[in-house]
Every structure is written in structure tokens, then in C-alpha cells.
Amino acid sequence: LVAFRYLPRATSVRISRSVGGAHGATNSHSQRPVLVHPRAPQPRRSMAPGSVVMSAGASDSAREATQTEPCVWDNLALSREIQVAEAACREAADIILRARPGVLEFNRVKEKDGGEGPVTEADLKADSAIRAHIAAAFPRDALISEETYCDSVPLPTSGRVWMVDPLDGTKNFINPDSTDFCVMIGMCIDGVPVLGVIMEPSTGRLWKGINMGSVQQATYSQRGGKDVVIDRLSGNLGPTLRFGAAPPVNPRFTPLVSKMVMPAVAVPMGSAGLKAMLIVDGLSDIYTSSFGQMSVWDICASHAILAAIGGNLLTLKEEPINYSNRCLRDGLFFYHPGVNAEIRKKVRDMYEFLAMHYAQRRPRV
């Protein structure tokens, strides 16, 4: 599929979801409410003793009051890896927040070689902190990071490989009106994403997940709160397809999805990782992209977390992600389990239509 970019976008409208499930909207991108999981509990498997499942309508105080010990990650496979990744995420998030005022005030932004986008001192310092944590705890593991990876070095095809994006959404980070950026740490074993930790520095929200065979668990916490086990996604899809999209959303895109796929509404969100977490939060059904320059560190952590609760990620060609290839040249398709094969085919057809449309509009030379 040919990658494309839409025409200039219009002012965004942020869609939020109340605990009761109704949708509301606000036109203030910087005043997005902190979201809590609204989904009712479903059967889970492989949860540790002391796990707490979030239920619809529960207040934050009630959720915390029902927490039990021990930690929901105790005695699970990769529990130490989760702890190390969380500590690395938290230090990186702190670095990012402390660096932001100086970056914004003095415009300390550089462009990466080859048009790879902006980079700041926050990206580099957060990257260094994360690599130090992982190297100290797991010195024999391979580690691939956006800020230190060299294209001339092939990605490992087997074994334990950490995949790190120290600051996902740098363009949003340097935009004073946006809070849509996060820290992402994932790990693959033999090409399968088995662990993910994602933190949103501006709110302190934290998602963690293990997706390793029969051991599947994901948790969510707010700043200062305890881990709460996230319920598995149900197989039911509502009458309206909710899709994550970078704000401001092109006004032509939602009508196109509604026409070619099914009635749809956009859920504006910056950062690839945070758009995927919208599905985990029960606020979106799909997140797709045909941008062929995204890399495996942009998806590894979110893939593991979503898979741990029953979601999935494929290419736009319905093929598994090859984590030994850096670039996702065939696009990506995160989706809720209720998005069946018929709906996914309609989405693929829509992207093929768009690729053909934009190819015909290119000037001939």
C-alpha cells in the first residue's frame, strides 16, 4: 500500500467517554479529562492472586479501596522485567517533564537526518536513562531504541529484544498546547511482543501488559494509584466504529470511513502509543496507519498490552508484524476483537482506494 498524507486538517474535537458510556465532546485539546476504564468485567485468565478487575461505575476512591495485596504482578512470568521497565518509564517521564519548559522556551529542537522528524534533549536523556536501567538488569538482552539504532545493523531475529521509544510523539511534546506524548518500552521474545509498559508523563497514567502464552494480563494506574487489572475486551462492537486519529482530524476522513466501512466517529489523539491505548481503554475500536515510515519501537509495547486483553495488531495487508524489519512499510492495523474480517476488508479496500486516488493526483514528470 502506498503511504499518503491528508490535506490540511481542521480544528479538532476531542471525544471523551463517561463512566456510564455516553459520549461527550470538548474543543479544548489541552483540557482533556483523565480517562478511566468504563468496561464491565468479563472472565479473565492467568491473573495473579490479589488481582482487582475494574467495573463500570466505580469511583476512583472505591477502586483504590478494593485493592488487595500482593501486587498483581507477583509470581507471573516476566514480573521482574515489568518492574524494571516501569522504573525506567517513570524516570524517563520525570526527565521529559523537567526538560519540557526549557525545550519550549528556547526552542531546543533539532531535525533528525533523513527527514526522520524532530528530536530534543528530552528524547536523548530519557533514552539514556532507559537503556541504563535495562542494561544493568538484563545485560545479555538486545536493546533497540529509536534514538540509538543504526540502519546498518540488522535487527535480531530471535531471543529477547527490548524495543524502546523514549518519547513517542515528539511533535506533540514541542507543541505547548498538547499533552499527547508518552514513553514506550516493549520486549519481544523470538519475534513475539510479550511485554509492554507505556506512561503518559503529563498525567501519570501507566499501562502495563504481559502477553506470553497462557499468561496474559494488563493493568492501568493513575498518578499515585495502584495497578488495576484491565478486563479482557468483549467481542461485541457498537453500531458506530470509533477510530483513533491524530488531531486535527481531516473533515473528509470520517465521512469517507462512514461511507466505505460503516458509520464512524473519530477519537482525536496524538502519539501512536496513546492511540493504541484508546482501544485498551474501551474508547476506540481501531487505529490504522498507512504511513510507511513507522518503526517497530512505535508499536511493540502497545501491541503486547493490547494482545494481553484480546485485541490484535496486523499490517494493513492482514499479515503478522515482522519484528525483524525496522520499518512497517505495509502499514498497521490495531483493532478491537469485535472488528471482524468483513470490516477489516472494507478498511483495506478504503486504503487501497485512497492510495490509488492520491497516486492519480501526483504530477507526472
Side-chain angles (χ1 to χ4, degrees):
L1 295 176
V2 179
F4 66 92
R5 293 185 180 271
Y6 290 107
L7 299 176
R9 299 156 168 164
T11 302
S12 65
V13 175
R14 180 163 299 284
I15 306 296
S16 63
R17 186 177 187 177
S18 69
V19 172
H23 288 83
T26 173
N27 61 5
S28 175
H29 184 70
S30 61
Q31 297 180 354
R32 182 176 75 252
V34 175
L35 305 174
V36 295
H37 291 276
R39 293 187 276 110
Q42 299 288 334
R44 282 199 49 79
R45 55 180 174 144
S46 301
M47 294 193 301
S51 299
V52 175
V53 178
M54 290 177 295
S55 60
S59 67
D60 290 343
S61 59
R63 291 163 192 267
E64 293 194 9
T66 58
Q67 300 290 334
T68 60
E69 297 297 339
C71 169
V72 297
W73 294 105
D74 287 350
N75 304 317
L76 286 185
L78 303 179
S79 59
R80 181 166 177 256
E81 285 82 350
I82 278 280
Q83 292 170 0
V84 171
E86 178 180 351
C89 251
R90 290 188 181 279
E91 182 175 348
D94 184 59
I95 290 170
I96 288 166
L97 288 180
R98 285 190 281 109
R100 195 181 194 199
V103 170
L104 295 177
E105 182 177 358
F106 300 105
N107 194 29
R108 297 171 182 163
V109 182
K110 297 181 180 179
E111 286 294 322
K112 296 180 183 178
D113 295 338
E116 293 279 327
V119 64
T120 71
E121 64 182 50
D123 297 76
L124 301 177
K125 289 181 178 179
D127 176 73
S128 179
I130 292 170
R131 288 189 290 109
H133 275 272
I134 295 173
F138 309 106
R140 300 179 64 180
D141 288 1
L143 189 152
I144 306 298
S145 170
E146 177 178 9
E147 306 309 334
T148 54
Y149 175 71
C150 177
D151 280 330
S152 62
V153 179
L155 292 180
T157 58
S158 61
R160 291 164 50 109
V161 184
W162 294 85
M163 297 189 176
V164 175
D165 190 343
L167 179 47
D168 179 51
T170 302
K171 290 182 180 179
N172 300 318
F173 173 73
I174 62 178
N175 175 2
D177 296 324
S178 178
T179 60
D180 293 351
F181 50 89
C182 64
V183 182
M184 300 201 295
I185 301 176
M187 185 175 74
C188 283
I189 297 180
D190 297 332
V192 177
V194 297
L195 176 150
V197 178
I198 296 177
M199 187 169 196
E200 185 179 41
S202 59
T203 63
R205 296 193 296 161
L206 179 73
W207 297 262
K208 299 185 287 188
I210 288 178
N211 173 50
M212 192 172 182
S214 63
V215 180
Q216 292 185 308
Q217 177 170 285
T219 62
Y220 167 87
S221 65
Q222 299 190 49
R223 193 187 307 277
K226 295 182 179 180
D227 290 339
V228 180
V229 173
I230 302 173
D231 182 36
R232 289 184 69 81
L233 294 163
S234 74
N236 300 320
L237 193 68
T240 301
L241 184 69
R242 301 164 301 168
F243 63 91
V249 182
N250 188 301
R252 304 181 200 177
F253 193 48
T254 301
L256 179 67
V257 178
S258 297
K259 178 180 179 180
M260 298 194 68
V261 182
M262 64 181 287
V265 61
V267 186
M269 178 67 75
S271 158
L274 294 181
K275 281 195 281 287
M277 291 304 96
L278 287 172
I279 305 175
V280 172
D281 288 348
L283 302 173
S284 176
D285 303 309
I286 65 172
Y287 160 40
T288 60
S289 175
S290 63
F291 183 50
Q293 296 302 311
M294 293 187 72
S295 302
V296 288
W297 48 72
D298 293 313
I299 61 166
C300 180
S302 49
H303 188 179
I305 296 169
L306 182 61
I309 60 168
N312 202 4
L313 167 63
L314 299 171
T315 71
L316 283 172
K317 293 183 177 180
E318 291 268 304
E319 296 173 347
I321 302 295
N322 183 349
Y323 279 94
S324 64
N325 287 340
R326 179 219 159 174
C327 284
L328 307 172
R329 302 201 182 280
D330 292 325
L332 58 86
F333 195 153
F334 286 94
Y335 60 91
H336 181 284
V339 179
N340 59 34
E342 180 182 358
I343 296 174
R344 297 198 302 271
K345 183 180 185 304
K346 290 180 178 179
V347 173
R348 293 199 311 275
D349 291 345
M350 180 189 72
Y351 273 99
E352 290 175 358
F353 165 80
L354 286 167
M356 184 180 303
H357 172 75
Y358 281 91
Q360 291 174 347
R361 293 184 59 181
R362 289 196 191 109
R364 296 183 180 181
V365 293

